[in-house]
Amino acid sequence: MKFSRLIEQLTERLRILPSVGPKSAQRMALHILERDREGALALATAIVEACENVGHCSQCRNFTEQTICDICSSDRRNRQVVCVVESPADVLAIEQSASFDGVYFVLMGRLSPIEGITAHDIGLPLLETRLASGDVSEVILATNPTVEGEATAHYIADRASKHGVEVTRIAQGVPLGGELEYIDSGTLMHAFSGRRKVGTS
Amino acid sequence: MKFSRLIEQLTERLRILPSVGPKSAQRMALHILERDREGALALATAIVEACENVGHCSQCRNFTEQTICDICSSDRRNRQVVCVVESPADVLAIEQSASFDGVYFVLMGRLSPIEGITAHDIGLPLLETRLASGDVSEVILATNPTVEGEATAHYIADRASKHGVEVTRIAQGVPLGGELEYIDSGTLMHAFSGRRKVGTS
């Protein structure tokens, strides 16, 4: 025995959400029906509105419902410095750290021969057009410190230097609040090789 | 800085789902937009269809989009035995155990003076009408073994015996596969007081 058809359908479709298995989907479906049908209908509207109207910024590829996103169209951002990240969540994290006042380029992925993701899929032709325009003085590579993120950074660095643009990579080392004994050896290796002189007055 | 308005709206509305905090809601919103807009639109449709069409069975109060649910309208169920449970998920669990062939009465909650949930809210007038009809020979109380579940069971037992209906409570004891050393003392107390004679040939 299962639930009625519409509840089964709802449960199954909730599973498109990340890390929602059969049991949580069931719990979500029953919760919606028992407690908050109004909120659920508002959620359905929000899903439709977002899916139908959110596109990509024509300059940085980040999500936006406008042609050009708020950051790319802002007067207060330095357009000469472009930070390349893998996903919109990365932009949010960097913005929250308030450590950067340039603009972004969002790959919406990373190079991955295994998954068949090519330079074209992550918008590199668009990035190259920007680099070739001569308006960019520095590219900061902030892809994830994973194998694929590193490979992507390497590839972009290669292309950017061909256009005479300075290329930098965000520093890798021990994270704040981390305890050395629990940090993996790859990170420690980077932390040592990237060590900096301590200024003495 | 936040995401664009529609993404923010989607993120916020995803939080009506149980155990979805700000971070998972953001992850869900981005996942939908990046990977599966089609699936998300199907989810939105399923939400609307379920919220608008799923009501309660007029006999057992379980969720159904018909007037009478599949179990109540089945020929193969014994209508003289009514199992009282708190929620539709409990019905599913009992059905999956294949331990019961009677019909259900789903309270859709439990008596809770603190939350202001009364006998009327959990449909007890409807249950009493059924008990008064003389068609029910046994009520099995399968509310949760919590303080409120017990109080609810007690209240229903009281009413049912007034109508001359036999009342039983599902057994409490050690669960299968449980290890005694990890079982709480309340459960062990029930297991001892409810001990049964072992048949010897």
Side-chain angles (χ1 to χ4, degrees):
Chain A
M1 177 264 179
K2 299 233 176 166
F3 285 113
S4 68
R5 190 182 63 81
L6 292 178
I7 303 182
E8 284 301 317
Q9 177 182 276
L10 174 58
T11 305
E12 191 177 312
R13 294 199 179 158
L14 280 164
R15 296 195 51 197
I16 64 146
L17 298 173
S19 53
V20 172
K23 204 77 189 173
S24 355
Q26 190 194 95
R27 203 159 56 88
M28 286 177 172
L30 293 177
H31 175 91
I32 285 175
L33 291 168
E34 282 171 32
R35 309 277 172 89
D36 197 1
R37 295 194 188 203
E38 208 174 308
L41 289 171
L43 168 60
T45 310
I47 291 173
V48 174
E49 283 183 4
C51 288
E52 288 181 349
N53 298 307
V54 173
H56 296 279
C57 171
S58 62
Q59 296 195 1
C60 74
R61 289 179 32 106
N62 200 358
F63 283 135
T64 178
E65 51 258 30
Q66 296 143 299
T67 317
I68 296 176
C69 74
D70 287 348
I71 295 179
C72 287
S73 60
S74 165
D75 288 340
R76 284 177 294 179
R77 312 292 301 216
N78 177 0
R79 280 182 185 64
Q80 298 201 296
V81 185
V82 176
C83 176
V84 178
V85 295
E86 293 183 20
S87 82
D90 300 335
V91 173
L92 195 65
I94 296 171
E95 287 297 297
Q96 277 167 352
S97 76
S99 43
F100 179 65
D101 73 342
V103 293
Y104 295 91
F105 189 84
V106 185
L107 301 171
M108 307 296 293
R110 65 210 72 77
L111 286 179
S112 170
I114 293 172
E115 294 174 55
I117 300 173
T118 65
H120 192 269
D121 296 325
I122 59 173
L124 294 187
L126 179 62
L127 179 62
E128 283 215 51
T129 314
R130 274 176 82 174
L131 298 179
S133 71
D135 298 338
V136 177
S137 62
E138 179 182 357
V139 167
I140 302 176
L141 299 169
T143 51
N144 290 325
T146 58
V147 173
E148 289 172 339
E150 290 294 349
T152 309
H154 203 80
Y155 183 93
I156 297 171
D158 197 48
R159 306 297 306 171
S161 41
K162 288 210 172 92
H163 294 286
V165 175
E166 189 187 355
V167 181
T168 56
R169 179 91 173 101
I170 52 168
Q172 294 181 352
V174 295
L176 259 67
E179 293 189 59
L180 284 196
E181 71 176 295
Y182 298 112
I183 288 170
D184 66 291
S185 44
T187 302
L188 281 178
M189 214 155 71
H190 278 290
F192 273 83
S193 69
R195 69 189 180 280
R196 288 202 281 178
K197 214 167 189 151
V198 177
T200 49
S201 59
Chain B
M1 176 263 178
K2 300 231 176 167
F3 286 114
S4 69
R5 192 183 62 82
L6 291 179
I7 303 182
E8 284 302 315
Q9 176 181 277
L10 175 58
T11 305
E12 191 178 312
R13 295 200 178 158
L14 279 164
R15 295 195 52 198
I16 64 146
L17 298 173
S19 51
V20 172
K23 204 76 190 174
S24 354
Q26 190 193 96
R27 203 158 56 87
M28 284 176 174
L30 293 177
H31 175 92
I32 285 174
L33 291 168
E34 283 171 31
R35 309 276 173 88
D36 198 0
R37 296 195 187 203
E38 207 174 308
L41 289 172
L43 169 60
T45 310
I47 291 173
V48 174
E49 283 184 1
C51 287
E52 288 181 350
N53 297 306
V54 173
H56 296 279
C57 171
S58 63
Q59 296 196 359
C60 74
R61 288 176 36 103
N62 199 358
F63 283 135
T64 178
E65 52 258 31
Q66 297 144 300
T67 317
I68 296 178
C69 74
D70 286 348
I71 294 180
C72 286
S73 60
S74 164
D75 287 339
R76 285 177 294 182
R77 313 292 301 215
N78 177 0
R79 279 181 186 65
Q80 297 200 298
V81 184
V82 176
C83 176
V84 178
V85 295
E86 293 183 21
S87 82
D90 300 335
V91 173
L92 197 63
I94 296 172
E95 288 296 298
Q96 277 167 352
S97 77
S99 43
F100 179 64
D101 72 343
V103 292
Y104 294 91
F105 189 84
V106 185
L107 301 171
M108 306 297 293
R110 64 210 74 76
L111 285 179
S112 170
I114 293 172
E115 294 173 54
I117 300 172
T118 64
H120 191 269
D121 296 325
I122 58 173
L124 294 187
L126 178 61
L127 180 60
E128 283 215 50
T129 313
R130 271 175 85 173
L131 299 178
S133 71
D135 297 338
V136 177
S137 62
E138 180 180 356
V139 168
I140 301 176
L141 299 169
T143 52
N144 289 326
T146 59
V147 173
E148 290 174 339
E150 291 292 350
T152 308
H154 203 80
Y155 182 91
I156 296 172
D158 198 47
R159 307 297 304 170
S161 40
K162 288 212 172 89
H163 294 286
V165 176
E166 188 185 356
V167 183
T168 57
R169 179 92 173 101
I170 52 167
Q172 295 182 351
V174 295
L176 258 68
E179 292 189 59
L180 283 195
E181 72 176 297
Y182 298 113
I183 286 169
D184 66 291
S185 43
T187 301
L188 281 178
M189 214 156 69
H190 278 291
F192 273 82
S193 69
R195 68 190 181 279
R196 289 202 280 179
K197 212 164 192 153
V198 178
T200 50
S201 59

